[in-house]
Amino acid sequence: MTIFLTILFGFIAGVIGGMGMGGGTFLIPLFQFLDYGQKTIQAINLISFLPMAGVALALHFKNKLVKTNGVLWIIIPAVAFSVLGALLTNSVSPKFLKICFGIFFFGIGGWEMYQSIKKIRQDKKNKVNAEGTNDDKGE
C-alpha cells in the first residue's frame, strides 16, 4: 500500500507542479502520512523538483517568457544558501525541521490569503468605480 500511495502522491505532485503551483506544496505534507523521515521527504521533493523545473524552464524559454538580465544575481546567492541550508539540515533534528516547515507553510498560506483578499477588495473597488463612471455617462 505504501508503494501505491507513494506513486499516487508523486502523480498528484507532478500534475500540480505542471500547472505551475509547485508540487512540493503537496508532496511534503502528503509524505508525512507515509511515515518517511523529514530529511527523506525533503530529498524526494528536491529530486522530483529537478525534472519538473527543467521541463517548465524549457517551455518558458520556448515561449520567450524568461528574462536573463541579472540572473546571476539570483543564481549565485541561491546556490550558496542552498548548500548552507543543506549543511545546516544535517545538524538539526527532524522534529525541528518539521516545525520549521510547518511555520513556513503557514506563513506562505497566510501571505497568499492576504494577497487574495487584497486583490478581491481591489477588484470590487475597481468594479464599483467603473459602474459609477458608466452611470455618470448615461445621464
Side-chain angles (χ1 to χ4, degrees):
M1 186 67 167
T2 302
I3 293 173
F4 171 74
L5 289 175
T6 301
I7 293 169
L8 177 65
F9 293 166
F11 176 77
I12 292 169
V15 169
I16 291 170
M19 289 194 276
M21 182 176 174
T25 306
F26 288 94
L27 193 63
I28 291 171
L30 289 175
F31 277 173
Q32 293 288 332
F33 292 111
L34 298 180
D35 255 355
Y36 289 121
Q38 183 67 28
K39 291 178 183 177
T40 302
I41 293 170
Q42 288 177 267
I44 291 169
N45 184 50
L46 288 172
I47 291 168
S48 68
F49 168 77
L50 292 174
M52 285 190 279
V55 170
L57 186 61
L59 289 173
H60 289 312
F61 263 114
K62 180 182 173 191
N63 294 325
K64 296 181 171 103
L65 298 172
V66 177
K67 296 179 183 177
T68 57
N69 295 347
V71 73
L72 288 178
W73 292 108
I74 296 171
I75 292 175
I76 293 170
V79 170
F81 282 105
S82 294
V83 171
L84 180 65
L87 294 173
L88 286 173
T89 299
N90 286 329
S91 63
V92 176
S93 75
K95 185 174 182 177
F96 182 73
L97 286 175
K98 284 183 182 181
I99 292 169
C100 288
F101 259 75
I103 292 169
F104 175 74
F105 277 124
F106 272 112
I108 294 293
W111 178 254
E112 289 295 323
M113 285 177 53
Y114 168 75
Q115 291 295 322
S116 296
I117 291 168
K118 185 176 161 183
K119 182 168 178 9
I120 290 168
R121 286 182 178 167
Q122 186 63 39
D123 290 347
K124 283 183 180 179
K125 184 178 177 182
N126 291 342
K127 184 178 178 182
V128 168
N129 288 342
E131 287 173 356
T133 305
N134 289 341
D135 288 343
D136 292 342
K137 288 181 181 178
E139 293 180 8

Short mmCIF file of all heavy atoms in Angstrom, two decimals, residues 87-119:
data_model
loop_
_atom_site.label_atom_id
_atom_site.label_comp_id
_atom_site.label_asym_id
_atom_site.label_seq_id
_atom_site.Cartn_x
_atom_site.Cartn_y
_atom_site.Cartn_z
N LEU A 87 23.80 21.86 4.56
CA LEU A 87 24.75 21.56 5.64
C LEU A 87 24.09 21.75 7.01
O LEU A 87 24.31 20.94 7.92
CB LEU A 87 25.99 22.43 5.51
CG LEU A 87 26.86 22.16 4.28
CD1 LEU A 87 27.96 23.21 4.17
CD2 LEU A 87 27.43 20.77 4.30
N LEU A 88 23.30 22.80 7.17
CA LEU A 88 22.60 23.03 8.43
C LEU A 88 21.57 21.95 8.73
O LEU A 88 21.36 21.59 9.89
CB LEU A 88 21.94 24.41 8.43
CG LEU A 88 22.85 25.60 8.58
CD1 LEU A 88 22.07 26.89 8.39
CD2 LEU A 88 23.53 25.60 9.94
N THR A 89 20.93 21.45 7.68
CA THR A 89 19.91 20.41 7.85
C THR A 89 20.50 19.17 8.51
O THR A 89 19.83 18.50 9.31
CB THR A 89 19.30 20.03 6.49
OG1 THR A 89 18.69 21.20 5.95
CG2 THR A 89 18.26 18.96 6.61
N ASN A 90 21.74 18.85 8.21
CA ASN A 90 22.37 17.67 8.80
C ASN A 90 22.61 17.82 10.30
O ASN A 90 22.78 16.83 10.99
CB ASN A 90 23.68 17.36 8.09
CG ASN A 90 23.44 16.74 6.73
OD1 ASN A 90 22.46 16.05 6.52
ND2 ASN A 90 24.34 17.01 5.80
N SER A 91 22.64 19.04 10.79
CA SER A 91 22.92 19.24 12.21
C SER A 91 21.67 19.58 13.03
O SER A 91 21.78 19.90 14.20
CB SER A 91 23.96 20.36 12.38
OG SER A 91 23.45 21.57 11.89
N VAL A 92 20.51 19.50 12.40
CA VAL A 92 19.26 19.86 13.06
C VAL A 92 18.39 18.61 13.20
O VAL A 92 18.37 17.76 12.31
CB VAL A 92 18.52 20.95 12.24
CG1 VAL A 92 17.18 21.27 12.83
CG2 VAL A 92 19.36 22.20 12.14
N SER A 93 17.64 18.52 14.27
CA SER A 93 16.78 17.36 14.49
C SER A 93 15.60 17.37 13.52
O SER A 93 15.11 18.43 13.14
CB SER A 93 16.25 17.34 15.93
OG SER A 93 15.25 18.32 16.10
N PRO A 94 15.12 16.19 13.13
CA PRO A 94 13.96 16.11 12.23
C PRO A 94 12.72 16.79 12.81
O PRO A 94 11.94 17.39 12.08
CB PRO A 94 13.73 14.61 12.07
CG PRO A 94 15.06 13.99 12.33
CD PRO A 94 15.70 14.87 13.37
N LYS A 95 12.53 16.72 14.12
CA LYS A 95 11.37 17.37 14.74
C LYS A 95 11.44 18.88 14.53
O LYS A 95 10.43 19.53 14.20
CB LYS A 95 11.31 17.04 16.23
CG LYS A 95 10.08 17.59 16.90
CD LYS A 95 9.98 17.14 18.34
CE LYS A 95 8.70 17.68 18.96
NZ LYS A 95 8.50 17.22 20.31
N PHE A 96 12.62 19.47 14.70
CA PHE A 96 12.79 20.91 14.48
C PHE A 96 12.51 21.26 13.02
O PHE A 96 11.89 22.29 12.73
CB PHE A 96 14.20 21.34 14.89
CG PHE A 96 14.43 22.81 14.74
CD1 PHE A 96 13.87 23.73 15.61
CD2 PHE A 96 15.23 23.28 13.70
CE1 PHE A 96 14.08 25.09 15.46
CE2 PHE A 96 15.45 24.64 13.54
CZ PHE A 96 14.88 25.55 14.43
N LEU A 97 12.96 20.41 12.08
CA LEU A 97 12.70 20.65 10.66
C LEU A 97 11.21 20.64 10.37
O LEU A 97 10.71 21.47 9.61
CB LEU A 97 13.41 19.60 9.80
CG LEU A 97 14.92 19.74 9.67
CD1 LEU A 97 15.48 18.56 8.88
CD2 LEU A 97 15.28 21.04 9.00
N LYS A 98 10.48 19.71 10.98
CA LYS A 98 9.02 19.65 10.78
C LYS A 98 8.36 20.93 11.27
O LYS A 98 7.49 21.48 10.62
CB LYS A 98 8.42 18.45 11.52
CG LYS A 98 8.65 17.13 10.84
CD LYS A 98 7.96 16.02 11.60
CE LYS A 98 8.21 14.69 10.94
NZ LYS A 98 7.54 13.58 11.63
N ILE A 99 8.79 21.39 12.43
CA ILE A 99 8.23 22.62 12.99
C ILE A 99 8.53 23.80 12.06
O ILE A 99 7.64 24.62 11.76
CB ILE A 99 8.76 22.88 14.42
CG1 ILE A 99 8.21 21.81 15.37
CG2 ILE A 99 8.41 24.28 14.89
CD1 ILE A 99 8.87 21.80 16.73
N CYS A 100 9.76 23.90 11.58
CA CYS A 100 10.14 24.99 10.67
C CYS A 100 9.34 24.94 9.38
O CYS A 100 8.86 25.97 8.88
CB CYS A 100 11.64 24.95 10.37
SG CYS A 100 12.65 25.45 11.76
N PHE A 101 9.17 23.73 8.82
CA PHE A 101 8.39 23.59 7.58
C PHE A 101 6.94 23.98 7.84
O PHE A 101 6.31 24.64 7.00
CB PHE A 101 8.48 22.16 7.03
CG PHE A 101 9.43 22.04 5.90
CD1 PHE A 101 10.80 22.04 6.13
CD2 PHE A 101 8.98 21.94 4.61
CE1 PHE A 101 11.69 21.94 5.07
CE2 PHE A 101 9.86 21.84 3.55
CZ PHE A 101 11.21 21.84 3.78
N GLY A 102 6.40 23.57 8.98
CA GLY A 102 5.02 23.93 9.31
C GLY A 102 4.84 25.43 9.42
O GLY A 102 3.89 26.00 8.86
N ILE A 103 5.75 26.09 10.11
CA ILE A 103 5.70 27.54 10.24
C ILE A 103 5.82 28.20 8.88
O ILE A 103 5.09 29.14 8.55
CB ILE A 103 6.79 28.04 11.21
CG1 ILE A 103 6.47 27.59 12.64
CG2 ILE A 103 6.94 29.56 11.14
CD1 ILE A 103 7.61 27.80 13.62
N PHE A 104 6.74 27.69 8.06
CA PHE A 104 6.94 28.23 6.72
C PHE A 104 5.66 28.12 5.89
O PHE A 104 5.22 29.08 5.26
CB PHE A 104 8.09 27.50 6.03
CG PHE A 104 8.29 27.90 4.59
CD1 PHE A 104 8.85 29.13 4.27
CD2 PHE A 104 7.92 27.04 3.57
CE1 PHE A 104 9.03 29.50 2.95
CE2 PHE A 104 8.11 27.41 2.25
CZ PHE A 104 8.66 28.63 1.94
N PHE A 105 5.03 26.93 5.90
CA PHE A 105 3.81 26.73 5.11
C PHE A 105 2.66 27.59 5.63
O PHE A 105 1.89 28.14 4.84
CB PHE A 105 3.41 25.26 5.07
CG PHE A 105 4.15 24.48 4.02
CD1 PHE A 105 4.87 23.36 4.37
CD2 PHE A 105 4.14 24.87 2.70
CE1 PHE A 105 5.57 22.65 3.41
CE2 PHE A 105 4.83 24.17 1.73
CZ PHE A 105 5.54 23.05 2.09
N PHE A 106 2.53 27.73 6.94
CA PHE A 106 1.50 28.61 7.47
C PHE A 106 1.77 30.06 7.07
O PHE A 106 0.84 30.80 6.73
CB PHE A 106 1.41 28.50 9.00
CG PHE A 106 0.49 27.41 9.46
CD1 PHE A 106 0.99 26.30 10.10
CD2 PHE A 106 -0.89 27.51 9.26
CE1 PHE A 106 0.14 25.29 10.53
CE2 PHE A 106 -1.74 26.51 9.68
CZ PHE A 106 -1.23 25.40 10.32
N GLY A 107 3.03 30.45 7.09
CA GLY A 107 3.38 31.80 6.67
C GLY A 107 3.04 32.04 5.20
O GLY A 107 2.45 33.07 4.85
N ILE A 108 3.40 31.10 4.35
CA ILE A 108 3.09 31.21 2.92
C ILE A 108 1.59 31.24 2.71
O ILE A 108 1.06 32.04 1.92
CB ILE A 108 3.74 30.06 2.12
CG1 ILE A 108 5.26 30.16 2.15
CG2 ILE A 108 3.23 30.01 0.68
CD1 ILE A 108 5.82 31.35 1.42
N GLY A 109 0.88 30.35 3.41
CA GLY A 109 -0.58 30.32 3.30
C GLY A 109 -1.21 31.62 3.73
O GLY A 109 -2.12 32.15 3.08
N GLY A 110 -0.74 32.17 4.85
CA GLY A 110 -1.25 33.45 5.33
C GLY A 110 -0.99 34.57 4.34
O GLY A 110 -1.86 35.40 4.09
N TRP A 111 0.22 34.58 3.79
CA TRP A 111 0.57 35.61 2.81
C TRP A 111 -0.31 35.50 1.57
O TRP A 111 -0.78 36.51 1.04
CB TRP A 111 2.04 35.49 2.42
CG TRP A 111 2.44 36.49 1.37
CD1 TRP A 111 2.69 36.24 0.06
CD2 TRP A 111 2.60 37.90 1.55
NE1 TRP A 111 3.01 37.41 -0.59
CE2 TRP A 111 2.96 38.44 0.30
CE3 TRP A 111 2.48 38.75 2.64
CZ2 TRP A 111 3.19 39.79 0.12
CZ3 TRP A 111 2.72 40.10 2.44
CH2 TRP A 111 3.07 40.60 1.20
N GLU A 112 -0.53 34.28 1.09
CA GLU A 112 -1.38 34.07 -0.09
C GLU A 112 -2.82 34.50 0.19
O GLU A 112 -3.47 35.10 -0.67
CB GLU A 112 -1.35 32.61 -0.54
CG GLU A 112 -0.03 32.20 -1.16
CD GLU A 112 0.27 32.93 -2.46
OE1 GLU A 112 -0.65 33.20 -3.25
OE2 GLU A 112 1.45 33.25 -2.69
N MET A 113 -3.32 34.19 1.40
CA MET A 113 -4.67 34.63 1.76
C MET A 113 -4.75 36.15 1.79
O MET A 113 -5.70 36.75 1.28
CB MET A 113 -5.09 34.03 3.10
CG MET A 113 -5.46 32.57 3.01
SD MET A 113 -5.88 31.82 4.58
CE MET A 113 -7.11 32.89 5.22
N TYR A 114 -3.76 36.77 2.39
CA TYR A 114 -3.71 38.24 2.45
C TYR A 114 -3.72 38.84 1.04
O TYR A 114 -4.48 39.77 0.76
CB TYR A 114 -2.46 38.69 3.22
CG TYR A 114 -2.18 40.16 3.11
CD1 TYR A 114 -2.95 41.09 3.81
CD2 TYR A 114 -1.15 40.62 2.29
CE1 TYR A 114 -2.69 42.45 3.70
CE2 TYR A 114 -0.89 41.98 2.17
CZ TYR A 114 -1.66 42.88 2.88
OH TYR A 114 -1.41 44.23 2.76
N GLN A 115 -2.88 38.31 0.15
CA GLN A 115 -2.81 38.82 -1.21
C GLN A 115 -4.13 38.61 -1.96
O GLN A 115 -4.57 39.47 -2.73
CB GLN A 115 -1.66 38.16 -1.98
CG GLN A 115 -0.29 38.57 -1.49
CD GLN A 115 0.00 40.04 -1.72
OE1 GLN A 115 -0.38 40.62 -2.73
NE2 GLN A 115 0.65 40.66 -0.75
N SER A 116 -4.77 37.45 -1.74
CA SER A 116 -6.04 37.17 -2.41
C SER A 116 -7.13 38.12 -1.93
O SER A 116 -7.90 38.65 -2.74
CB SER A 116 -6.47 35.72 -2.14
OG SER A 116 -5.55 34.83 -2.71
N ILE A 117 -7.22 38.32 -0.61
CA ILE A 117 -8.23 39.23 -0.07
C ILE A 117 -7.98 40.65 -0.57
O ILE A 117 -8.91 41.36 -0.96
CB ILE A 117 -8.23 39.17 1.47
CG1 ILE A 117 -8.76 37.81 1.92
CG2 ILE A 117 -9.05 40.30 2.07
CD1 ILE A 117 -8.55 37.52 3.39
N LYS A 118 -6.73 41.05 -0.60
CA LYS A 118 -6.37 42.38 -1.10
C LYS A 118 -6.80 42.55 -2.56
O LYS A 118 -7.36 43.58 -2.94
CB LYS A 118 -4.86 42.56 -0.96
CG LYS A 118 -4.33 43.91 -1.31
CD LYS A 118 -2.83 43.94 -1.03
CE LYS A 118 -2.14 45.05 -1.75
NZ LYS A 118 -0.69 45.04 -1.54
N LYS A 119 -6.56 41.51 -3.37
CA LYS A 119 -6.94 41.57 -4.79
C LYS A 119 -8.45 41.60 -4.95
O LYS A 119 -8.98 42.36 -5.78
CB LYS A 119 -6.35 40.40 -5.56
CG LYS A 119 -6.69 40.46 -7.04
CD LYS A 119 -5.88 39.49 -7.83
CE LYS A 119 -6.17 39.45 -9.30
NZ LYS A 119 -7.02 40.43 -9.88
#
